[in-house]
Amino acid sequence: MYIGRTNQKVMTYARPQVQKVTVTLPKAHHPLEDILSKPAVRKALLWMTRRGPDGKCFLERLCENYDNPNADFWTRLKWYWSNKAIDLALKKAGLDKETMKKHLFHHTPTVKSLALTAKSIGTYGLTVPQRFTAPLFVVWNITQVCNLSCKHCYQDAKHKPMPDELTTEEKLDLLDQMADEYVPFVAFAGGEPLVAKDLWPVLEHCKKRGFHVTIATNGMLLTPEMCARLKEVGVKYIEVSIDSINPEEHDEFRGLKGAWERSIQGIRNAVAAGIRTGMATCFTRETVHTVDEVVKFAIDLGCSTFAHFNFIPVGRGKEIMHHDLTPGQRELLMRKLQRHLAEGKISIISTAPQFGRSCIIYGSEEGVFATGHAGKGEGKKTLVLSRYIGGCGAGRCYCSIQPNGIINACVYIPSEEVGDIRRQSFKEIWESALFSVLSDREDRGDHCGVCDYRHYCGGCRARSLAYTGDIQAGDPGCVYNAHEWIELTAGADSVMASHFAMPSGFSLSAGCGNGCGTSVQTPLVQLKGLRQQAEQLAQIVTSGVVQAAVRAGEISGVPEEEVRDFDEVVDRLSSLFTKN
């Protein structure tokens, strides 16, 4: 199914069928699934999340009054037996009471997450993937203004605002609508959010309504004073984008000399202020081999999180789509990130939905699993949770808001305008047909439609739309859809072939032709051997057999640290004939 942005009608057509290459997974199960599937439980959940005259639901009041030292005598008496029941349950589960109070019962965003999940299960039932009555997470591009001109900017941000950006009053009203629907997490991006003229009243209102707030910034304005104020208004996490650990490369990509130094200092200031801080990187095929060094750099800076941003050719990114990773490069990148996640030195998140699948393939049964763009956990219970909330969340548990109030399924899908907050309520927009389509992972093209990992991944909908024009097509960035990538990049065949061609100046019998005295026999022998290795590796990273990709270095005879994918092997071939 696909929704055209002109008429917003759902159109169905036959999708290409492919042979499934993944092995059927043993189903992970948790007893709670059976309980939540009962009709009586669904009714109870709806009752628990129905708002009362005070604007709060039973679940919110229950958590608020659990072991609350500020409650009066009659309130404590009213909730006495509920508190005793919770104490007993925590003791039986072996959970620390004070920890649970801090991170669950008295932590408003977590309570809102519980209320939203309960309401969603009560409304739609327990679905795979889980459909929600409102997004768990919203990315809000609060302004179009930016102080940089990054080459890969999905927003195509400018140095001036949109003429029709939301007023402060409209922004506060939108926050109220989101809070009323139990939306727990909001990330402000841009443009550059720290230059938004009404940032502070917006953040103050977020604190008042109990949102967990994230700021995604280029970091250049993160002075000690700015960080102190952000912490004061309740910002819980700051994420700074760094494109390379090489200052010159970063500055060239960002369009401003000295940007790297200011951004790195911004990270240090945020860490020093005691705000949880992350470093985010969008790897290209020229920088993907530096992933280990980049993650180590983030650790050395004191970051708690490293975030990988999947490259999507939208906005200004369309102009540099030739720098996108191949499926083989992305697979090896996911493997590297999974290793860092398992090591536990830093939290790892990725906007590439394949990361969830990679945690299953390359990890152990009791290892660490990704539950979505920002979540993680250990063991089989997390694997069960991942089946419901993992993978691409666009239009299913996440959406984006443009500076002028236009709502999209994802910041990387700006072409599909789902609704306008000036014309519809937030609740009405969330119930749109496109969001219903994106909640269905059975109607997907190519291998995404038959993949055994579709509920842990689902493929990136933004990449599918950007490359094929079909939001439900297979994700061409995955090794299981490598055939699709090959078709899309067929125009590059002549370029690839030129890597294997003999350069001018070489002779089969007379050496290099420039008096170098070097026989061509040795390079030809090397060429034959390396070409065989290249062909083997090409088959591995495009066959769809991910387990074989794990052994890419071993099978090709080239160490994994030296070979990132087929492209690098081809580069080696061409370097054999470089004249010095």
Side-chain angles (χ1 to χ4, degrees):
M1 293 182 178
Y2 174 75
I3 295 187
R5 58 181 177 275
T6 54
N7 54 21
Q8 295 293 301
K9 291 183 179 179
V10 180
M11 294 170 282
T12 305
Y13 59 89
R15 297 189 180 283
Q17 297 296 311
V18 298
Q19 182 178 359
K20 184 169 74 73
V21 299
T22 50
V23 179
T24 302
L25 294 169
K27 184 177 179 181
H29 184 75
H30 193 280
L32 190 59
E33 293 178 273
D34 298 326
I35 297 173
L36 293 175
S37 299
K38 296 181 181 297
V41 173
R42 287 182 58 186
K43 290 181 179 179
L45 292 175
L46 286 176
W47 173 80
M48 292 174 66
T49 55
R50 188 175 298 119
R51 293 190 182 276
D54 61 351
K56 298 178 181 178
C57 68
F58 172 82
L59 191 58
E60 288 176 296
R61 292 193 295 270
L62 175 68
C63 293
E64 179 184 321
N65 290 294
Y66 173 63
D67 199 28
N68 185 355
N70 299 320
D72 58 38
F73 172 78
W74 295 109
T75 301
R76 290 199 301 271
L77 182 63
K78 178 181 178 180
W79 295 96
Y80 176 80
W81 290 111
S82 297
N83 285 349
K84 286 298 181 182
I86 293 174
D87 286 339
L88 182 62
L90 293 178
K91 184 177 181 179
K92 188 174 181 179
L95 299 173
D96 180 68
K97 179 177 179 177
E98 293 303 316
T99 300
M100 295 304 292
K101 282 170 57 179
K102 179 180 179 181
H103 296 290
L104 174 57
F105 295 103
H106 296 171
H107 186 250
T108 304
T110 304
V111 174
K112 292 173 74 172
S113 299
L114 285 175
L116 175 56
T117 303
K119 183 180 179 181
S120 300
I121 295 174
T123 302
Y124 299 114
L126 198 62
T127 64
V128 180
Q130 184 59 50
R131 188 171 180 188
F132 290 89
T133 58
L136 286 166
F137 183 54
V138 172
V139 174
W140 190 339
N141 295 325
I142 194 171
T143 183
Q144 185 84 344
V145 181
C146 190
N147 50 356
L148 291 177
S149 300
C150 307
K151 290 183 177 181
H152 59 339
C153 181
Y154 63 80
Q155 188 67 13
D156 194 13
K158 311 292 184 182
H159 294 298
K160 60 181 180 179
M162 286 181 172
D164 59 344
E165 290 191 2
L166 295 177
T167 65
T168 303
E169 291 71 23
E170 288 174 320
K171 292 175 183 177
L172 301 186
D173 178 71
L174 179 51
L175 285 172
D176 285 335
Q177 292 186 53
M178 291 161 55
D180 289 343
E181 296 302 319
Y182 300 118
V183 175
F185 301 100
V186 179
F188 290 104
E192 171 51 51
L194 297 183
V195 304
K197 63 182 186 302
D198 52 4
L199 176 66
W200 301 111
V202 168
L203 292 180
E204 291 281 2
H205 201 65
C206 285
K207 184 178 182 180
K208 176 183 176 182
R209 294 307 307 258
F211 289 102
H212 181 285
V213 176
T214 291
I215 298 288
T217 171
N218 58 44
M220 292 178 59
L221 301 178
L222 288 175
T223 62
E225 295 76 19
M226 172 70 80
C227 292
R229 191 173 181 187
L230 289 172
K231 184 177 182 180
E232 182 182 346
V233 295
V235 172
K236 302 300 182 184
Y237 175 66
I238 293 176
E239 191 170 85
V240 180
S241 296
I242 301 294
D243 294 309
S244 172
I245 56 177
N246 182 305
E248 289 75 22
E249 288 182 357
H250 174 90
D251 291 353
E252 195 273 334
F253 214 69
R254 295 273 160 173
L256 181 67
K257 188 175 182 179
W260 189 88
E261 290 288 351
R262 292 176 62 182
S263 296
I264 295 301
Q265 187 57 51
I267 292 177
R268 293 192 177 104
N269 292 337
V271 171
I275 303 175
R276 194 165 63 89
T277 307
M279 190 177 95
T281 301
C282 178
F283 291 105
T284 64
R285 63 174 57 193
E286 291 81 14
T287 62
V288 66
H289 65 281
T290 66
V291 56
D292 290 331
E293 294 90 336
V294 172
V295 172
K296 183 180 183 301
F297 185 67
I299 295 172
D300 292 342
L301 283 174
C303 294
S304 63
T305 302
F306 175 75
H308 159 243
F309 282 173
N310 205 16
F311 177 83
I312 316 289
V314 295
R316 287 198 288 270
K318 289 185 290 188
E319 305 301 321
I320 60 168
M321 62 192 307
H322 54 286
H323 293 291
D324 192 6
L325 305 182
T326 65
Q329 285 177 314
R330 183 169 285 98
E331 185 65 25
L332 290 174
L333 171 61
M334 294 298 102
R335 182 188 177 199
K336 289 284 189 181
L337 292 177
Q338 183 276 329
R339 284 179 174 172
H340 287 292
L341 179 68
E343 286 176 1
K345 294 180 181 179
I346 190 171
S347 180
I348 302 290
I349 60 178
S350 174
T351 61
Q354 289 83 10
F355 186 52
R357 186 256 299 155
S358 297
C359 289
I360 299 173
I361 292 176
Y362 303 126
S364 64
E365 287 188 358
E366 297 301 326
V368 183
F369 298 101
T371 57
H373 294 333
K376 67 173 184 176
E378 297 182 4
K380 291 183 178 179
K381 63 181 183 298
T382 305
L383 190 60
V384 172
L385 180 62
S386 297
R387 190 168 70 248
Y388 291 97
I389 66 172
C392 179
R396 182 179 58 84
C397 58
Y398 147 75
C399 72
S400 67
I401 304 172
Q402 296 294 341
N404 59 358
I406 298 297
I407 292 182
N408 308 106
C410 173
V411 292
Y412 295 108
I413 310 180
S415 61
E416 297 301 311
E417 299 179 358
V418 182
D420 185 343
I421 202 64
R422 285 176 168 141
R423 299 179 180 179
Q424 302 161 274
S425 70
F426 185 79
K427 178 179 174 60
E428 290 172 335
I429 295 173
W430 183 254
E431 294 172 349
S432 74
L434 176 58
F435 289 167
S436 297
V437 168
L438 292 174
S439 295
D440 178 13
R441 287 182 177 163
E442 303 302 323
D443 185 24
R444 297 279 163 91
D446 300 289
H447 200 272
C448 286
V450 297
C451 186
D452 289 289
Y453 300 99
R454 63 186 178 278
H455 296 311
Y456 303 95
C457 170
C460 177
R461 298 301 94 215
R463 288 182 57 83
S464 297
L465 180 62
Y467 275 107
T468 72
D470 180 2
I471 204 168
Q472 289 287 74
D475 180 352
C478 179
V479 288
Y480 293 143
N481 287 320
H483 60 282
E484 185 179 5
W485 178 262
I486 292 172
E487 292 173 5
L488 288 168
T489 57
D493 283 349
S494 59
V495 178
M496 298 291 285
S498 69
H499 282 291
F500 293 106
M502 290 291 290
S504 60
F506 280 94
S507 167
L508 288 175
S509 59
C512 71
N514 288 324
C516 65
T518 302
S519 170
V520 79
Q521 180 62 36
T522 300
L524 278 177
V525 172
Q526 292 176 328
L527 172 61
K528 182 178 179 180
L530 279 178
R531 182 166 184 171
Q532 289 174 345
Q533 293 176 358
E535 290 173 347
Q536 282 182 310
L537 190 57
Q539 291 173 358
I540 290 168
V541 298
T542 61
S543 66
V545 185
V546 179
Q547 287 81 356
V550 178
R551 305 190 303 274
E554 175 186 334
I555 293 176
S556 68
V558 182
E560 178 198 335
E561 289 73 20
E562 298 180 24
V563 178
R564 304 300 170 179
D565 86 329
F566 176 48
D567 292 333
E568 188 166 338
V569 176
V570 173
D571 289 340
R572 288 183 177 214
L573 291 175
S574 62
S575 69
L576 286 174
F577 299 99
T578 301
K579 291 181 290 184
N580 296 317

